[in-house]
Amino acid sequence: MKLSVTRWLQVSSLLVLSLGISQFSLAAELPLQAQSIQAYGRDATSLNGEWKIIVDPYENGYYNYRYEPFDQQENPSVNAFFTDSKQKTPSDLIEYDFDKADTLQVPGDWNTQKEKLYYYEGSVWYRKKFDAPAAKKTDRQFIYFGAVNYRADVYLNGKKLGVHIGGFTPFHYEVTGKLKPKDNSLIIKVDNKRHADAVPTLNTDWWNYGGITREVKLFNVPRTFIRDYKIALTSLEQKTVTGAVLLDGAKGGEKIQLRLPELNIKQTLTADKNGSASFSFAVPDAQLWSPETPKLYSVQISSGSDKLTDNIGLRTITTQGKQLLLNGKPLFLRGISVHEEYSADGGGRVSHAKEAQTLLGWAKELNANFVRLAHYPHNEDMVRLADQMGLLVWSEIPVYWTINWKNEATYQNAEAQLAAMIERDKNRAAVIIWSLANETPVSDVRNQFLARLAKKARALDNTRLLSAAMEKHYRSDNPNIAVVEDPLADLVDMVSFNQYIGWYDGLPEKADRVTWEISYNKPVFVSEFGGSAKQGLHGDVNQIFTEEFQENLYRKTLGMIDKIDGFVGTSPWILADFRSPRRLLDGIQDDYNRKGIYSNEGVKKKSFFVLQEFYKRKAEQSKNAE
Ligand code: GCU
């Protein structure tokens, strides 16, 4: 489908709108920093590394003793931590000192860096001192955060830049004219407390890792710069590439060069008065992107003195009745679910590309061609590596379990996270599915909330499929017939559901007698199944938590779901054991959910080989069907 310029502007203005509204400020104004930005690959000054920190459980650095926020006072007290104050006279009473404070590494969660912070849920102040990088007088400057979990109050040289809500999506602030040549003080209050109205809500089955968990960087752009672009293969028959570029600071008439050197594409576009230009051209000789051939083309966009490069895969993803089609050919998703955690070395949140590479490498060893990145947008390295390694991606927002469907601020928060996820990864060929929710209880308010979200997702990106992990139940007149019936199924392109026959629902043998009734003329995907096993614990196949129990559960479940009409794949729960505050069985769980087919150190369990063999057969069947 062609993205007209108006459509594109609608999309980008929608993006601006949705990114600008945080959970606590539903005001209509749009702080400048809320607009989208393409940060990956820009020359930048990294602010990663050692940051000074102050653990502040009572938020003593944020509220005065009357519990009034310091940052809403005309002249904040020197005891407001964001002023980064120092004694001027020996009698000055200042009850904090960043220079003498402890440190944490950024990016990284605090829980696995300091034993005293393992369970900590509260506020930690972070400070980074830095000199402003050289910039032309006409340059504009931005500070970019890959993600901060969960709420970030951001201050530069004592002045508040803004508040960001949401633990897994990027955000940035324009700091043009706000930097000093030397000794800038960037201070962030990071608060990972859970809230009933938040997204996710109070209860999750994953560790609440707090901190500046992804990169922080500062970059300069010229006065007129490339704010955003979208590029995709939009017609398989005509091999047409369509897209648009959005300049910021344009007056109209500016020239934009677009190059795909390997395809001999060299276009000069002209920005309209809004700074936007769209394009469409044929690439008859292009090699399509697929898991088997993850071909990426270098794309170069330049305008004036600004230049951006990216690597783009060209593919289409569509459905036809119960079939999933990649580049017009039937696709079977040999998947696995993945949390963004790598704890083999005692760590927690994935904080470096090499950890992401390891996790995706484990998936490739499985003969997987698909990863369900649960239950929140993963870091950008994960998605870009999937582009390179040939792994299709399901990306989701943490609308998980019992969200507060009635709260407008909760909806705005979910929508902002959805928009930020789509904005960041809209050019990644590997991403084929945006997922709206996981195991959410059916109700009218939940249906309305998700219908709004689905509409928004389609407005932001109608080149990908929508899905959501729904739940099953049994026919009232026959306990051996499982059904998936959910109003959400009418809103999505692929009917996905989690089911735990053999674990939470009977024993593995139950899978031998259950059949499925799923009456949507759409592809059917099993987004979770599984059971726990402590790696190295062996015993009788009926002994729970043994590798033999899990292995048998995989055999029985795969046999059952492979018979489902319209079955297009699965992403069993889960690649590797992961930390969860809900998994407290000493000697077996020890704070870990053990449903991994790998241990958290990367040791394969017996179930790994059952799934690997199943996927090997599926890959051969797909190849023979071509
Ligand atoms: C649910 C949920 C997962 C959870 C899993 C489990 O399906 O989606 O987040 O970890 O079950 O209970 O292990």
Side-chain angles (χ1 to χ4, degrees):
M1 60 295 304
K2 284 171 70 68
L3 257 183
S4 70
V5 175
T6 358
R7 188 92 197 89
W8 170 258
L9 274 180
Q10 275 170 352
V11 168
S12 353
S13 51
L14 278 170
L15 265 180
V16 166
L17 186 65
S18 53
L19 289 181
I21 298 169
S22 74
Q23 183 175 7
F24 295 98
S25 70
L26 293 179
E29 88 280 350
L30 283 178
L32 185 60
Q33 72 275 7
Q35 292 176 0
S36 62
I37 204 152
Q38 290 294 334
Y40 201 94
R42 276 197 178 282
D43 290 339
T45 303
S46 172
L47 297 179
N48 292 346
E50 190 175 87
W51 287 52
K52 290 288 192 177
I53 59 121
I54 298 172
V55 181
D56 186 9
Y58 274 49
E59 299 185 302
N60 198 40
Y62 183 76
Y63 295 105
N64 64 18
Y65 79 117
R66 294 289 186 229
Y67 217 63
E68 293 152 341
F70 284 124
D71 66 11
Q72 288 174 20
Q73 291 171 339
E74 264 310 293
N75 302 305
S77 147
V78 289
N79 278 302
F81 289 8
F82 56 83
T83 63
D84 197 3
S85 298
K86 304 290 283 179
Q87 274 187 321
K88 290 194 173 63
T89 72
S91 57
D92 279 356
L93 172 61
I94 294 182
E95 296 185 81
Y96 70 98
D97 183 343
F98 273 109
D99 292 329
K100 296 194 182 107
D102 199 347
T103 61
L104 279 173
Q105 283 300 313
V106 168
D109 62 81
W110 62 57
N111 313 71
T112 59
Q113 290 191 60
K114 301 250 178 246
E115 197 171 334
K116 69 176 182 179
L117 298 178
Y118 179 64
Y119 288 110
Y120 183 66
E121 293 186 308
S123 283
V124 174
W125 292 86
Y126 284 74
R127 186 200 72 179
K128 186 75 173 178
K129 299 288 286 263
F130 65 94
D131 297 343
K136 296 193 195 70
K137 273 183 71 54
T138 53
D139 277 354
R140 293 170 64 177
Q141 299 183 290
F142 291 85
I143 290 182
Y144 174 92
F145 297 84
V148 174
N149 191 44
Y150 171 78
R151 172 181 165 130
D153 287 73
V154 184
Y155 306 84
L156 176 66
N157 299 326
K159 295 274 180 290
K160 189 156 201 176
L161 295 180
V163 179
H164 183 267
I165 305 286
F168 305 96
T169 46
F171 59 102
H172 59 274
Y173 296 101
E174 179 156 9
V175 293
T176 310
K178 298 178 178 175
L179 294 172
K180 302 183 299 186
K182 296 274 181 207
D183 242 11
N184 292 279
S185 167
L186 176 63
I187 291 180
I188 294 109
K189 181 174 81 74
V190 178
D191 178 359
N192 76 330
K193 287 194 291 296
R194 290 165 292 122
H195 300 275
D197 293 349
V199 180
T201 183
L202 287 168
N203 194 21
T204 67
D205 192 19
W206 69 81
W207 207 265
N208 179 26
Y209 290 113
I212 303 179
T213 49
R214 296 181 191 160
E215 64 171 339
V216 184
K217 59 188 175 185
L218 179 89
F219 54 82
N220 303 341
V221 292
R223 182 168 31 208
T224 301
F225 70 98
I226 301 159
R227 168 70 76 172
D228 201 0
Y229 60 92
K230 180 170 172 68
I231 179 167
L233 183 74
T234 48
S235 161
L236 192 60
E237 298 66 39
Q238 278 82 39
K239 284 275 190 79
T240 314
V241 168
T242 304
V245 180
L246 190 60
L247 298 182
D248 187 304
K251 294 184 177 44
E254 287 83 355
K255 295 303 175 194
I256 301 166
Q257 285 72 39
L258 173 69
R259 283 177 178 67
L260 284 78
E262 201 178 333
L263 292 170
N264 298 318
I265 295 290
K266 201 170 167 182
Q267 296 226 334
T268 299
L269 316 172
T270 304
D272 66 15
K273 63 180 178 7
N274 301 304
S276 179
S278 66
F279 55 84
S280 174
F281 47 79
V283 285
D285 306 327
Q287 184 179 12
L288 299 181
W289 187 97
S290 73
E292 296 70 30
T293 57
K295 173 69 182 167
L296 297 175
Y297 286 99
S298 170
V299 174
Q300 298 159 10
I301 305 172
S302 57
S303 181
S305 59
D306 198 19
K307 183 174 178 186
L308 272 178
T309 56
D310 201 350
N311 296 304
I312 301 285
L314 301 172
R315 57 102 187 97
T316 61
I317 183 74
T318 53
T319 64
Q320 201 168 34
K322 289 178 180 281
Q323 275 203 320
L324 206 47
L325 302 174
L326 178 71
N327 302 326
K329 292 183 193 144
L331 171 67
F332 184 84
L333 297 174
R334 310 189 307 269
I336 189 76
S337 291
V338 186
H339 258 304
E340 190 191 22
E341 178 180 298
Y342 181 75
S343 64
D345 54 3
R349 270 284 164 259
V350 167
S351 51
H352 291 87
K354 66 182 184 325
E355 295 167 339
Q357 183 116 30
T358 301
L359 292 175
L360 296 181
W362 293 353
K364 290 290 275 188
E365 272 192 73
L366 190 59
N367 286 323
N369 66 356
F370 179 72
V371 284
R372 175 182 176 226
L373 301 185
H375 281 295
Y376 36 75
H378 287 210
N379 63 79
E380 188 163 6
D381 288 323
M382 199 75 138
V383 182
R384 284 180 175 269
L385 282 167
D387 254 5
Q388 294 159 33
M389 295 168 73
L391 282 165
L392 294 154
V393 168
W394 156 312
S395 190
E396 72 183 56
I397 51 173
V399 173
Y400 180 96
W401 290 355
T402 53
I403 292 283
N404 184 347
W405 311 107
K406 299 190 184 79
N407 183 305
E408 180 59 20
T410 303
Y411 175 79
Q412 291 297 338
N413 183 347
E415 187 178 277
Q417 293 190 44
L418 173 79
M421 170 176 75
I422 293 175
E423 188 276 321
R424 188 193 75 183
D425 294 339
K426 60 182 176 292
N427 292 316
R428 305 277 70 78
V431 180
I432 55 168
I433 293 164
W434 303 123
S435 175
L436 303 171
N438 181 73
E439 293 190 354
T440 53
V442 178
S443 70
D444 288 347
V445 282
R446 168 265 201 181
N447 298 344
Q448 287 150 29
F449 186 107
L450 294 181
R452 255 176 105 184
L453 218 45
K455 191 162 170 242
K456 177 69 162 186
R458 297 216 190 267
L460 293 174
D461 180 3
N462 57 9
T463 66
R464 288 179 174 83
L465 305 181
L466 278 192
S467 195
M470 292 167 263
E471 295 183 292
K472 68 113 178 31
H473 55 272
Y474 290 99
R475 255 181 41 182
S476 49
D477 61 345
N478 185 332
N480 290 325
I481 297 182
V483 298
V484 176
E485 279 165 356
D486 185 330
L488 190 46
D490 296 323
L491 299 174
V492 298
D493 302 300
M494 183 169 82
V495 176
S496 305
F497 63 94
N498 300 346
Q499 69 80 30
Y500 278 91
I501 290 172
W503 188 256
Y504 297 119
D505 172 2
L507 291 172
E509 282 60 38
K510 180 171 180 179
D512 293 340
R513 62 175 187 275
V514 169
T515 55
W516 290 80
E517 262 178 23
I518 300 169
S519 54
Y520 301 94
N521 184 27
K522 296 180 179 179
V524 174
F525 181 77
V526 181
S527 35
E528 286 183 36
F529 73 78
S532 290
K534 181 165 170 63
Q535 187 275 323
L537 180 64
H538 296 285
D540 180 85
V541 73
N542 291 316
Q543 187 188 334
I544 201 159
F545 291 116
T546 59
E547 289 197 37
E548 286 70 22
F549 187 100
Q550 186 188 52
E551 179 190 34
N552 181 46
L553 184 147
Y554 267 68
R555 272 195 217 294
K556 297 285 185 187
T557 305
L558 291 169
M560 170 184 70
I561 62 178
D562 205 12
K563 297 188 187 89
I564 294 175
D565 178 26
F567 177 53
V568 294
T570 182
S571 51
W573 192 258
I574 187 169
L575 179 70
D577 295 351
F578 62 95
R579 285 197 189 89
S580 165
R582 302 179 72 240
R583 306 302 171 177
L584 307 172
L585 177 58
D586 287 335
I588 296 285
Q589 295 175 322
D590 301 317
D591 289 347
Y592 275 87
N593 181 316
R594 298 283 182 202
K595 293 190 182 67
I597 56 173
Y598 284 87
S599 71
N600 67 296
E601 286 94 6
V603 179
K604 296 179 180 73
K605 302 176 191 176
K606 293 173 88 168
S607 54
F608 169 92
F609 300 98
V610 172
L611 188 60
Q612 184 188 49
E613 179 53 34
F614 177 73
Y615 283 165
K616 189 159 166 275
R617 272 204 327 275
K618 282 296 180 184
E620 282 155 8
Q621 283 169 11
S622 302
K623 203 166 174 57
N624 300 339
E626 275 181 16

